[in-house]
Amino acid sequence: MRVLVTGGAGYIGSHTLIELRAQGHEVFVVDSFDNSSPEVLARVSELTQATVPFAEVDIRDRAALGDVMAAFRPDAVIHFAGLKAVGESSVIPLRYYDVNISGTLSLLDAMDKVGCKRIVFSSSATVYGLPQYLPFDEDHPCAPTNVYGQTKHMAEQVLRDWAAATPEASAVLLRYFNPVGAHVSARLGEDPSDIPNNLMPFVAQVAVGRREKLSVFGDDYDTPDGTGVRDYIHVSDLARAHTAALRFANGSIGAEAINVGTGQGYSVLEMVEAFARASGRDIPFEIVARRPGDIARSLAAPDKANKLLNWHAEKTLDDMCASTWAWQSQNPNGFREEG
Ligand code: NAD
Ligand code: UDP
């Protein structure tokens, strides 16, 4: 298929490009490089031995996006482009609504103009909010507790309404749990531009000596060791879920929300221990207060993905830690030049 990938230079997008090409799809990337750089696409080109075509376009720029769409004429779109920092989303909410909602509207409009009726969307487990029961299945009520989660939930609703109103259209709403890990080549990985918000990149930066110690946000949760439990999913498994979702979208009509997680939870301390094992480095940490808005446990019921997408997570916790360590230690400055 001809697949237009918005946000393809980002963390999850870049790993998905590799998988798309491995499956024989033709790709075109649209990215503003707001949170990434062309160097990422140069590395994907190197790994897949063919230049990745791209346009530096903001998805909210309807004219430019329309031109790209008219020239490439995709069979399907994978829509990664967006803003994703939970804390920042409550500080600059309008920007989050603009990029994540107006951006999605602009994209659907451009798709309509060329008759493209298949989309796979990056949603998030944050749409569920506080768990009424665990693991989260896709029927769990959605009540996001932060602006970022609201934008994902609203974008899902936009996509559902679009799919219902557009004959033969299909939208797959992938609700990611906690993506971690890096490409097996150690040439691609997560490269936060600022102090990492997420656990894994922070731990990796402590291990490599870029940060002194990890702050563990609370050890008084109702979990076996008191620290927060999450469903970590290897980014390469997540990338495969996108090619599976494309296959599904191609043979279905309507909108479908699907969890992408493993169903297995690990605590913060278990992650620290596993990372120390994989890297051979000490990970100094201190217990600090809970982070506002955090929940004790988040876990996916991955049954729907197993059944509808014929997809299962394959990588282990050790794969997640070892690949993150290889990426971090071989690219201490991420995609930036040394120094
Ligand atoms: P990322 O920031 O690495 O990638 C997003 C990409 O979109 C970047 O390359 C960025 O430059 C681009 N972009 C941002 N705004 C844009 C705009 N207006 N126009 C064009 N391009 C733009 O993030 P990621 O971790 O790869 O996440 C990809 C998607 O998955 C996001 O929508 C995110 O909300 C969602 N998601 C991520 C996680 C996670 O933990 N990483 C979890 C759940 C959902
Ligand atoms: N966490 C932590 N210290 C950090 C970052 C995260 O203790 O510096 C904890 C956090 O409280 C949660 C888990 O690690 O229990 C995963 O957090 P992350 O931000 O990676 O994902 P999310 O909270 O969005 O699921």
Side-chain angles (χ1 to χ4, degrees):
M1 290 169 86
R2 297 167 65 78
V3 186
L4 186 136
V5 184
T6 76
Y11 171 47
I12 303 167
S14 56
H15 289 82
T16 302
L17 289 175
I18 303 268
E19 188 59 27
L20 286 165
R21 283 199 153 166
Q23 300 288 322
H25 296 291
E26 192 178 333
V27 299
F28 190 96
V29 169
V30 171
D31 202 301
S32 63
F33 301 118
D34 179 73
N35 195 35
S36 58
S37 77
E39 168 64 13
V40 179
L41 298 180
R43 292 197 183 185
V44 174
S45 303
E46 159 205 305
L47 290 167
T48 59
Q49 294 178 328
T51 303
V52 175
F54 71 93
E56 183 171 350
V57 162
D58 189 306
I59 52 166
R60 294 166 296 173
D61 181 343
R62 289 182 182 234
L65 190 61
D67 288 347
V68 167
M69 207 61 91
F72 184 62
R73 297 217 153 244
D75 301 307
V77 170
I78 306 184
H79 180 26
F80 294 105
L83 301 180
K84 62 167 185 177
V86 171
E88 184 187 62
S89 73
S90 63
V91 180
I92 47 169
L94 298 188
R95 191 163 147 73
Y96 271 69
Y97 284 108
D98 193 30
V99 173
N100 293 359
I101 305 298
S102 306
T104 300
L105 294 173
S106 162
L107 179 63
L108 289 173
D109 190 41
M111 288 170 63
D112 279 349
K113 291 205 167 95
V114 297
C116 178
K117 292 167 185 274
R118 307 267 169 267
I119 187 165
V120 176
F121 173 62
S122 299
S123 189
S124 165
T126 50
V127 298
Y128 294 120
L130 296 174
Q132 294 182 9
Y133 57 85
L134 285 172
F136 287 116
D137 58 29
E138 291 81 356
D139 295 327
H140 187 286
C142 288
T145 57
N146 56 62
V147 172
Y148 167 68
Q150 290 283 13
T151 66
K152 288 291 171 188
H153 189 222
M154 282 183 193
E156 282 196 1
Q157 196 54 52
V158 167
L159 287 157
R160 285 180 196 281
D161 293 342
W162 170 83
T166 309
E168 312 282 301
S170 164
V172 183
L173 318 172
L174 294 181
R175 293 177 176 164
Y176 312 157
F177 279 67
N178 289 62
V180 295
H183 190 254
V184 66
S185 64
R187 297 290 289 157
L188 299 175
E190 189 169 10
D191 181 23
S193 54
D194 211 338
I195 301 173
N197 298 306
N198 295 113
L199 178 66
M200 265 298 239
F202 202 105
V203 168
Q205 291 190 6
V206 172
V208 82
R210 205 162 131 187
R211 307 206 178 268
E212 192 194 334
K213 62 183 168 198
L214 170 74
S215 296
V216 174
F217 300 143
D219 68 348
D220 55 353
Y221 285 106
D222 184 15
T223 60
D225 66 19
T227 65
V229 168
R230 295 291 182 272
D231 186 329
Y232 296 93
I233 167 99
H234 195 295
V235 66
S236 298
D237 278 338
L238 180 54
R240 275 192 309 105
H242 290 80
T243 49
L246 272 185
R247 248 190 326 272
F248 175 76
N250 210 24
S252 65
I253 290 174
E256 204 73 65
I258 303 178
N259 288 339
V260 189
T262 66
Q264 164 83 52
Y266 293 104
S267 74
V268 176
L269 295 182
E270 284 173 321
M271 294 303 284
V272 167
E273 195 188 307
F275 203 91
R277 205 169 47 234
S279 64
R281 298 287 178 102
D282 264 357
I283 317 286
F285 67 85
E286 69 173 333
I287 309 289
V288 301
R290 291 182 178 195
R291 181 170 64 179
D294 271 358
I295 57 178
R297 293 200 303 143
S298 171
L299 272 184
D303 311 58
K304 195 168 170 184
N306 300 163
K307 198 164 143 218
L308 293 189
L309 306 184
N310 191 22
W311 169 92
H312 295 80
E314 288 170 1
K315 304 273 193 185
T316 63
L317 176 60
D318 193 55
D319 296 329
M320 300 179 204
C321 295
S323 62
T324 303
W325 174 242
W327 155 252
Q328 181 69 60
S329 53
Q330 291 174 40
N331 306 267
N333 298 308
F335 293 104
R336 287 168 295 279
E337 295 292 320
E338 294 297 310

